């Protein structure tokens, strides 16, 4: 079961992220993947607003710091594993404590993680580029992530993401 949504601009991708964030709560994990420039960080910017992260927090990719934490109705942990070295110790990053903890976790470049590092329930979010600014965003539940996908589906279905 995969939910497929098409956005037609960065603003649409951000709005989709905001809608998704509005329905998520503590313990939700999104494993994001897509090419460089596909819109993963843009999606997380919207996700942050949907989680009520205050506007004064500008959401950027934590490429060099690996983890950014933002306050909201529940904390958002934005993780970017693009520069993760093969031998990096994920325990040193605190990743096991973050995944499935008190906040919502969005992991960019999640494919760089061993699947056993992810919790039993998460949603894979694959963002693919299309012509112009079009993006295809595919949400796929993994493990016990079906409940999270159902929440997402209720807020995104039958809407235009321009």
């Amino acid at each position: 079961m995969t939910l497929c949504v098409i956005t037609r601009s960065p603003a649409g991708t951000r709005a989709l992220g905001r809608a998704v964030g509005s329905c998520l709560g503590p313990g939700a994990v999104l494993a994001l993947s897509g090419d460089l420039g596909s819109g993963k960080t843009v999606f997380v910017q919207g996700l942050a607003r949907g989680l009520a992260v205050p506007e004064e927090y500008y959401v950027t990719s934590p490429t060099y710091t690996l983890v950014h934490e933002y306050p909201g109705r529940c904390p958002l942990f934005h993780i970017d594993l693009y520069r993760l070295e093969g031998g990096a110790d994920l325990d040193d990053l605190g990743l096991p404590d973050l995944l499935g903890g008190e906040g919502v976790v969005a992991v960019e470049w999640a494919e760089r993680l061993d699947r056993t590092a992810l919790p039993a329930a998460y949603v894979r979010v694959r963002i693919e580029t299309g012509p112009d600014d079009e993006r295809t965003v595919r949400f796929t539940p993994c493990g016990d992530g079906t409940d999270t996908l159902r929440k997402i589906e209720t807020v995104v279905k039958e809407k235009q993401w321009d």
Side-chain angles (χ1 to χ4, degrees):
M1 166 162 131
T2 295
L3 172 64
C4 183
V5 179
I6 295 175
T7 67
R8 291 180 172 71
S9 68
T13 302
R14 202 171 285 111
L16 174 61
R18 182 181 202 121
V20 170
S22 73
C23 73
L24 297 181
V29 175
L30 301 177
L32 292 99
S33 63
D35 293 335
L36 277 173
S38 62
K40 296 180 295 295
T41 300
V42 171
F43 178 85
V44 175
Q45 289 170 344
L47 186 71
R49 300 305 169 235
L51 289 165
V53 171
E55 292 288 332
E56 63 263 20
Y57 287 90
Y58 185 71
V59 176
T60 60
S61 180
T63 301
Y64 294 99
T65 57
L66 300 179
V67 180
H68 285 169
E69 179 180 355
Y70 300 99
R73 65 179 162 76
C74 65
L76 169 63
F77 298 97
H78 183 194
I79 302 167
D80 187 329
L81 301 178
Y82 181 71
R83 297 200 180 278
L84 184 70
E85 296 295 327
D89 188 350
L90 298 175
D91 290 336
D92 290 344
L93 295 175
L95 196 60
D97 294 331
L98 298 179
L99 295 170
E102 295 297 316
V104 171
V105 179
V107 183
E108 292 191 38
W109 301 97
E111 63 272 19
R112 294 176 183 233
L113 281 177
D114 183 300
R115 288 189 118 170
T116 61
L118 290 164
Y122 68 97
V123 173
R124 188 173 52 240
V125 182
R126 172 87 180 143
I127 303 177
E128 301 165 351
T129 58
D132 299 318
D133 286 331
E134 186 176 284
R135 300 294 186 261
T136 300
V137 184
R138 298 180 196 282
F139 299 90
T140 305
C142 297
D144 298 327
T146 305
D147 288 341
T148 302
L149 182 66
R150 285 189 184 119
K151 290 177 187 176
I152 293 169
E153 188 174 33
T154 62
V155 297
V156 304
K157 68 178 183 178
E158 299 178 15
K159 293 187 180 177
Q160 294 290 334
W161 303 100
D162 296 324

